[in-house]
Amino acid sequence: MNALREIFKYAAIISGNNILTSVINFAAFLVMLNALGTYGFGLLTLALSVLSVATFFMELGFGKAIVSDVSKELQQNNKEQASGLFLGYIIFIFFSTGILAGIMFFFSGHVSAYFGKDVAPVIRFIAVLVFISGAKTIVTSAFHIVADFGKYASFLFVDALSKLVLVYIFVAFISGTVEGILQAFIVSGILTILIFLLFVPKEILEIARMRSNPMAFFEMAKKHGKWVAAFSQLRSIESNISPWIVEFFLGVNAVGVYGALLKVQVLIMRVFEPLETIFYPLVNKFGRFDDSRKLIFRATKYILFISIPFLFIAFVFSEAVLDLVLGPDFAEYAGVFRVLLLTVVLFILNMPMKPLFFNLKAQKSLTIISAAMLASTLVLGSIFTFYFGLMGMAMNNVFTPLLDVALKNRFMKKISGEKYSIREMLFFDDADIDLAKKILSNPKFILTIFRGDAK
C-alpha cells in the first residue's frame, strides 16, 4: 500500500500541475491559432514537428535510460558511476545540438524550396530551439533522477506561463507571424532554464562536480543504449510523420485542422500522462520484476477507470466540446475527434509498458515494436488518409497504439518469463473489490491511503 501511495502522491502532484499547464498551453494555442489562422498554424505545426524530431535525434532517447540507470546507481551509492553517466550525457547533448543545428541551418534553403516560399528563417529559429531543448532536457533529467517531481512540475508551469505571456506580447505588439511566435518560444525557454539552474538538486550538483570518467555514458550507449537510440528515433519519426502525411494528401490547411484537434486530445491526455514519468525512477524500488509489474498495473488500472466517465462525456458531447474550445468552425470535425478520443484509453494502457522494458533492459524489443509501428503509420496512415481524409488519419491513430499495446504485452511475457494477462489492467480483482468495499463503507478510508495509514 505504501508503494501505491507513493505512486499516487507523485501522480497527484504532476497531474494537478499538468491540468494547470495544459490550460495555460491551450490558452497560448488559441492566441496562436487566432493570430495565424489554420494555414499559418499548419505551417507552425509542421515546423514544431521538425523540432520534435530534431530533439529526439539530439538526445537519441538516452534521457530515459539516464534517469533509470543513474537513479539506480545513486540508490546503490555508486556515486562515481552515476557521475560518469550523467557527465557523459551532458557532453553528448551539447555535442549533438551543435551538429543538428548546423545541419538545419545548411538545409533551410531546401525546405524553403519544397514549400515554394521563404521559410528559411523559420528553420533557423527551430535550430536555436534545438539548443534550448537540449538544455531543458538536462535540467528536467536532473529532477527525474532524484524523483523531485515537485520541482519538475514547477519547471513545466513556469515554462508554460512564460510561453503564454511572451506569445501574447509578441503577437500583440511585435509580430503575429510564425517567426514572431518562434522568437517568443526562444525567449521563454532561455528564461525558464536560467531560473531553474538555481534549483538543481544537491545530489545532482554533487555528482556533476565529481572528477569521474564520462566514458561510463558511452559504455552504456554501446550496450543497451544503442537500442534506446534506435527505438526512440523510430518512435519520434512515427509520432511526427502524421502531419506530413496529412499535408501530402490534404494540404497545409488540413494540417492546421488536424493539429488543432490533436491539441484538444493532448489536453485530455496530459491529465493521465504522469505515471510513465514517475515509473522510470521508482520502478527500481518495488523489488522483483513481477512485484513492480503488479503495482504498476494496479496504479494504471485505477487511472483508467477514473478516466472513463470523463472520456464518455467528451465522446457524447464532442460537438459542444469543439464548439466551446475551438469555435463553431471545428464542430463539423466531431466525428474525427471522437475517434481520436479512443486513443486516450490506449495511451493509458501503454503508460506502464516502457518503464518495465527499461527495467528489464529490453530496449531491443522496443526497437522491433517501434519499427512495426512506423511501418504501420506509413502504410496504413497513408492509405486511410487517401481514402477517408482526416478521419483516416484518426483511424490510424487508434490502430497504431493498439498494435503497440499488443506487441509489448507479447514481448514482455516472453522476456520476463512471468505469467500474467493484460486483463489485469482491464478488470477488477479481489483486492480491488475489498478496497472498494472499504471505501464505500467508510469514504474517509481513501484519505488514509494517501496518508499511508491503511493496512
Side-chain angles (χ1 to χ4, degrees):
M1 184 65 73
N2 285 336
L4 197 61
R5 179 177 63 88
E6 185 176 8
I7 290 174
F8 277 98
K9 181 184 79 171
Y10 290 134
I13 291 172
I14 302 181
S15 286
N17 184 74
N18 274 1
I19 294 172
L20 185 58
T21 56
S22 293
V23 171
I24 294 172
N25 284 328
F26 199 79
F29 152 71
L30 292 177
V31 172
M32 292 184 289
L33 182 63
N34 289 330
L36 301 176
T38 54
Y39 180 87
F41 185 73
L43 186 60
L44 179 64
T45 299
L46 295 175
L48 293 179
S49 74
V50 173
L51 173 63
S52 182
V53 172
T55 299
F56 273 99
F57 274 103
M58 169 196 69
E59 65 107 35
L60 296 178
F62 288 140
K64 299 299 185 184
I66 284 295
V67 170
S68 179
D69 290 4
V70 175
S71 63
K72 187 173 184 178
E73 298 296 340
L74 286 176
Q75 288 173 24
Q76 296 174 353
N77 204 30
N78 296 328
K79 292 185 178 180
E80 186 173 352
Q81 179 70 6
S83 174
L85 286 167
F86 192 66
L87 289 176
Y89 178 64
I90 294 174
I91 293 170
F92 175 79
I93 289 294
F94 282 121
F95 176 79
S96 62
T97 52
I99 297 295
L100 277 170
I103 292 174
M104 294 180 74
F105 268 96
F106 181 78
F107 285 104
S108 60
H110 296 276
V111 178
S112 293
Y114 174 81
F115 284 102
K117 60 184 299 185
D118 185 17
V119 295
V122 172
I123 301 301
R124 295 191 185 105
F125 286 131
I126 292 295
V128 176
L129 284 169
V130 167
F131 280 104
I132 294 172
S133 181
K136 284 183 178 180
T137 299
I138 293 172
V139 175
T140 55
S141 294
F143 296 140
H144 287 165
I145 288 169
V146 299
D148 193 341
F149 295 110
K151 286 193 178 71
Y152 171 66
S154 299
F155 181 95
L156 296 181
F157 172 76
V158 172
D159 187 45
L161 183 60
S162 64
K163 190 178 296 181
L164 170 61
V165 171
L166 286 164
V167 164
Y168 178 79
I169 290 173
F170 269 76
V171 167
F173 303 106
I174 301 175
S175 174
T177 62
V178 173
E179 291 88 342
I181 288 172
L182 291 176
Q183 290 176 67
F185 285 3
I186 290 170
V187 177
S188 167
I190 293 172
L191 288 175
T192 304
I193 292 166
L194 290 177
I195 291 171
F196 279 88
L197 283 177
L198 303 174
F199 299 98
V200 174
K202 62 180 181 180
E203 300 94 329
I204 300 302
L205 290 175
E206 182 182 352
I207 64 173
R209 291 166 180 165
M210 292 177 64
R211 294 184 177 180
S212 55
N213 184 6
M215 289 305 296
F217 168 80
F218 298 98
E219 291 172 3
M220 178 275 292
K222 287 193 299 184
K223 296 176 182 177
H224 57 281
K226 62 179 180 291
W227 296 111
V228 173
F231 91 78
S232 294
Q233 304 327 302
L234 290 171
R235 288 306 299 268
S236 173
I237 295 171
E238 188 272 327
S239 298
N240 290 280
I241 198 69
S242 298
W244 294 93
I245 293 175
V246 172
E247 189 276 333
F248 181 81
F249 288 105
L250 305 176
V252 175
N253 193 66
V255 177
V257 174
Y258 177 69
L261 295 176
L262 284 183
K263 283 290 184 181
V264 184
Q265 179 208 41
V266 170
L267 182 67
I268 296 171
M269 290 197 300
R270 289 279 290 174
V271 179
F272 311 108
E273 183 182 39
L275 279 183
E276 182 182 285
T277 302
I278 293 167
F279 290 151
Y280 280 103
L282 294 185
V283 70
N284 296 307
K285 292 185 177 182
F286 298 153
R288 297 184 306 110
F289 172 80
D290 198 46
D291 295 330
S292 297
R293 183 194 58 75
K294 287 178 180 177
L295 278 167
I296 287 173
F297 274 24
R298 188 173 298 279
T300 304
K301 173 166 54 179
Y302 295 158
I303 291 291
L304 175 63
F305 279 93
I306 289 171
S307 73
I308 287 176
F310 301 98
L311 293 176
F312 179 77
I313 292 172
F315 188 89
V316 172
F317 299 102
S318 291
E319 289 90 350
V321 170
L322 293 179
D323 187 15
L324 175 66
V325 177
L326 297 178
D329 292 340
F330 287 87
E332 64 179 289
Y333 300 102
V336 178
F337 181 65
R338 287 192 178 97
V339 176
L340 290 174
L341 283 176
L342 298 177
T343 66
V344 178
V345 174
L346 297 170
F347 172 79
I348 296 172
L349 291 176
N350 253 317
M351 285 192 300
M353 295 297 195
K354 196 158 59 173
L356 291 174
F357 274 90
F358 271 71
N359 181 267
L360 293 168
K361 289 184 168 51
Q363 286 87 350
K364 181 178 180 180
S365 298
L366 287 175
T367 303
I368 297 172
I369 295 168
S370 298
M373 292 177 63
L374 176 58
S376 173
T377 296
L378 285 172
V379 176
L380 294 182
S382 298
I383 293 173
F384 289 168
T385 303
F386 177 76
Y387 282 105
F388 304 108
L390 288 179
M391 179 64 76
M393 182 52 70
M395 292 164 56
N396 175 76
N397 285 356
V398 174
F399 181 83
T400 300
L402 184 62
L403 176 66
D404 192 19
V405 172
L407 289 177
K408 283 177 179 171
N409 183 52
R410 180 176 179 181
F411 273 87
M412 193 181 298
K413 283 183 179 179
K414 181 179 179 180
I415 296 166
S416 68
E418 300 288 348
K419 294 183 179 180
Y420 73 93
S421 172
I422 201 169
R423 288 179 296 178
E424 291 179 27
M425 289 193 289
L426 297 173
F427 299 99
F428 288 122
D429 57 22
D430 292 340
D432 301 323
I433 294 173
D434 290 340
L435 180 61
K437 288 179 179 178
K438 290 179 180 178
I439 294 173
L440 290 173
S441 62
N442 181 17
K444 293 182 179 179
F445 177 79
I446 195 169
L447 299 177
T448 68
I449 295 176
F450 290 96
R451 290 201 308 264
D453 303 328
K455 304 295 184 183

